[in-house]
Amino acid sequence: MAQKQKYRRTLNILEKSKKQSQFDYTEVFRHIRTNIEFSNVDNPIKSIAITSSQPGEAKSTTSMNLAFIFAAKYQKVLIIDCDLRKTMLHKYMKLSNSYGLTDALINYGKTHRFTDEYFQTYQHPSFSGLLYVLTAGIHVPNPSELLSSDTFKEYMKVLKQNFDFIIIDCAPIGAISDAIPVGNAVDGTIFVVSAKDTKRKDAAQCVDLLKRSNVNVIGSVLTKADSGSGSYHYYY
Ligand SMILES: Nc1ncnc2c1ncn2[C@@H]1O[C@H](COP(=O)(O)OP(=O)(O)OP(=O)(O)O)[C@@H](O)[C@H]1O
Ligand SMILES: [Mg+2]
């Protein structure tokens, strides 16, 4: 019973979208997964960051939906909340945030030993196994410094060795640069564009900034597009 309540919020997000139209969102995200998998044949993408230009453009929702669709195919999938200034994943997923990424980084910086004690697990009817979750963790005064640190880079390398696929929910790049060091530590970054909220010029400037910062922008997901075909689209 308690478990059912735990998943209700996420289900609601998906169901709300489904009710808005007859569009099959699972199919859309399956297509996005395939495009990510085939975006680089020589060096397969195994870790992605999600960012956008401004707050509220559906980065966290997109990150979760991608995590669910990857968890339906791969055994060990991890989603990380790297928006350390506006921590939301644990709220959307009804999980605790008494420990998480920041705690794991502080511990790894001291010990250089990988431990799984900072991960939580999550179940959802759309996949049979478990999704691993690293919530944001204890509030830190210096998120940029932490995400730009060598400890973060090293920790990401260790995570990549321990998981089949990693999805990272980032802060918007328009006001703060936290998504840059995260983008540099993953294989590819997806730029979310909201049909309702995003200004074309802002999006172009942000993508340009990411590319100039050596972030591998592999594509975009268009959210909140109120067309007959539903509110998620994607393009590369
Ligand atoms: N495809 C969609 N269509 C319409 N509304 C959506 C869609 N996806 C998410 N939303 C709504 O948009 C709002 C913002 O979503 P979300 O928290 O995922 O955005 P975000 O980009 O992560 O925001 P922030 O930058 O504040 O972290 C929420 O109220 C959510 O329910
Ligand atoms: Mg968010």
Side-chain angles (χ1 to χ4, degrees):
M1 189 64 196
Q3 255 194 344
K4 269 189 186 166
Q5 278 174 345
K6 193 170 150 188
Y7 310 136
R8 193 167 296 151
R9 162 76 191 164
T10 321
L11 275 173
N12 281 348
I13 294 171
L14 291 172
E15 289 306 316
K16 198 172 116 194
S17 305
K18 267 188 204 162
K19 276 180 199 159
Q20 284 166 354
S21 78
Q22 294 303 306
F23 204 71
D24 184 350
Y25 288 93
T26 313
E27 194 52 39
V28 173
F29 280 99
R30 216 176 278 135
H31 271 290
I32 299 173
R33 185 183 67 195
T34 306
N35 281 1
I36 293 167
E37 287 170 329
F38 285 93
S39 60
N40 191 330
V41 184
D42 293 333
N43 297 302
I45 304 270
K46 286 183 70 190
S47 54
I48 52 168
I50 317 292
T51 190
S52 75
S53 53
Q54 301 299 326
E57 293 170 315
K59 293 177 290 297
S60 300
T61 315
T62 303
S63 302
M64 282 193 304
N65 285 330
L66 281 173
F68 294 169
I69 207 75
F70 273 97
K73 182 165 178 183
Y74 298 92
Q75 219 178 356
K76 279 194 86 180
V77 176
L78 171 68
I79 181 167
I80 308 176
D81 190 350
C82 255
D83 191 345
L84 300 182
R85 296 159 206 266
K86 196 173 172 186
T87 61
M88 283 303 283
L89 267 195
H90 66 284
K91 291 182 189 158
Y92 283 156
M93 300 178 96
K94 293 266 188 274
L95 294 169
S96 153
N97 189 35
S98 51
Y99 55 85
L101 174 65
T102 52
D103 307 86
L105 286 173
I106 291 163
N107 178 66
Y108 189 78
K110 282 185 198 154
T111 63
H112 291 277
R113 289 229 315 262
F114 176 75
T115 157
D116 59 8
E117 66 189 281
Y118 298 102
F119 303 108
Q120 296 177 69
T121 54
Y122 188 81
Q123 287 173 298
H124 187 268
S126 64
F127 53 87
S128 55
L130 293 172
L131 171 64
Y132 293 82
V133 186
L134 194 49
T135 60
I138 190 173
H139 179 78
V140 291
N142 53 345
S144 298
E145 236 174 81
L146 195 61
L147 297 174
S148 306
S149 65
D150 288 340
T151 300
F152 178 76
K153 271 183 225 150
E154 280 173 38
Y155 188 65
M156 279 305 302
K157 276 187 196 158
V158 177
L159 288 182
K160 284 189 209 174
Q161 287 159 8
N162 280 274
F163 288 92
D164 298 327
F165 205 92
I166 302 172
I167 291 130
I168 306 185
D169 183 21
C170 293
I173 187 74
I176 36 166
S177 58
D178 292 2
I180 292 175
V182 180
N184 290 144
V186 293
D187 301 328
T189 289
I190 291 184
F191 191 80
V192 169
V193 175
S194 159
K196 248 188 197 163
D197 315 293
T198 311
K199 292 190 178 74
R200 189 182 289 255
K201 201 175 151 200
D202 282 352
Q205 278 175 353
C206 289
V207 171
D208 187 49
L209 171 65
L210 288 168
K211 285 183 176 171
R212 277 190 285 114
S213 311
N214 293 322
V215 170
N216 179 25
V217 182
I218 55 169
S220 287
V221 172
L222 181 66
T223 61
K224 306 193 190 183
D226 263 338
S227 74
S229 57
S231 60
Y232 273 107
H233 296 267
Y234 63 96
Y235 62 89
Y236 279 76

